[in-house]
Amino acid sequence: PRIEHALAFARVVPDPPARSLDLGAGGGLPGLVLATRCWPDTTWCFLDARARRTAYLRESADELGVGERVTVTTGRAEDFGRDPAHRGRYDLVVARSFAAPAVTAECAAPFLSVGGRLVVSEPPAADLPDRWPAAALALLGFGPPTPHALDTESGPVHLVSLVLETPTSDRFPRRVGIPSKRPLF
């Protein structure tokens, strides 16, 4: 079921991305699945704050034969979202179980280039306007959220996608921990 869930992310992305980031990559879902099964030409950055997880991801990427196009980075999204090597550089950011919507949006937006897409796994009964309010998302440069309910062999998968319409203000992301302590919405 987890592999099918990860594969569902590819179904809501209209074109293969050139550069993608798995935010809070954890055990590699959906990033490793998308890198190995969906987009053979996409370069990836897997970002996670825990060194144990990133060590596992490096080993896994090498074992799966995608190590040459996957960079694994240990660090906080709030810090790396300000790094010129990462800011505004990605066509796609994926997130599964990263954080609450406000934190995920604030941490992901700085990584995206204008026209880039954030795709996030959602609970099945999510109230989209409450969880992803369009007015607050516009502060980060996002257009309105688009819900996706996809059928897979192992059951339904719920995702939301957001397209970055304008560059994210230099105010974002705020310092480490602030997005969760004082969410924008």
Side-chain angles (χ1 to χ4, degrees), residues 13-76:
V13 178
D15 298 306
R19 292 189 67 188
S20 294
L21 182 132
D22 188 341
L23 184 62
L29 294 173
L32 278 174
V33 173
L34 296 171
T36 57
R37 292 208 170 159
C38 297
W39 299 314
D41 298 323
T42 299
T43 58
W44 285 87
C45 177
F46 293 169
L47 177 62
D48 201 280
R50 295 189 181 156
R52 179 181 280 165
R53 287 181 180 169
T54 55
Y56 167 79
L57 288 169
R58 279 185 198 92
E59 288 175 24
S60 297
D62 288 340
E63 284 177 23
L64 293 167
V66 294
E68 72 283 350
R69 48 188 189 89
V70 171
T71 302
V72 180
T73 304
T74 306
R76 295 288 302 231

Side-chain angles (χ1 to χ4, degrees), residues 87-130:
R87 190 171 182 97
R89 303 283 183 183
Y90 297 93
D91 306 310
L92 174 68
V93 173
V94 294
R96 179 182 167 270
S97 304
F98 176 73
V103 178
T104 301
E106 181 173 346
C107 288
F111 290 110
L112 288 167
S113 57
V114 172
R117 181 179 305 268
L118 168 63
V119 180
V120 181
S121 185
E122 275 287 280
D127 183 353
L128 200 67
D130 284 347

Side-chain angles (χ1 to χ4, degrees), residues 111-174:
F111 290 110
L112 288 167
S113 57
V114 172
R117 181 179 305 268
L118 168 63
V119 180
V120 181
S121 185
E122 275 287 280
D127 183 353
L128 200 67
D130 284 347
R131 287 179 57 83
W132 300 93
L137 291 168
L139 292 172
L140 298 166
F142 284 118
T146 303
H148 305 274
L150 307 169
D151 290 322
T152 70
E153 287 181 20
S154 57
V157 172
H158 298 271
L159 303 169
V160 65
S161 63
L162 303 148
V163 175
L164 193 72
E165 294 180 343
T166 60
T168 302
S169 164
D170 289 340
R171 296 182 359 211
F172 303 110
R174 294 171 289 166

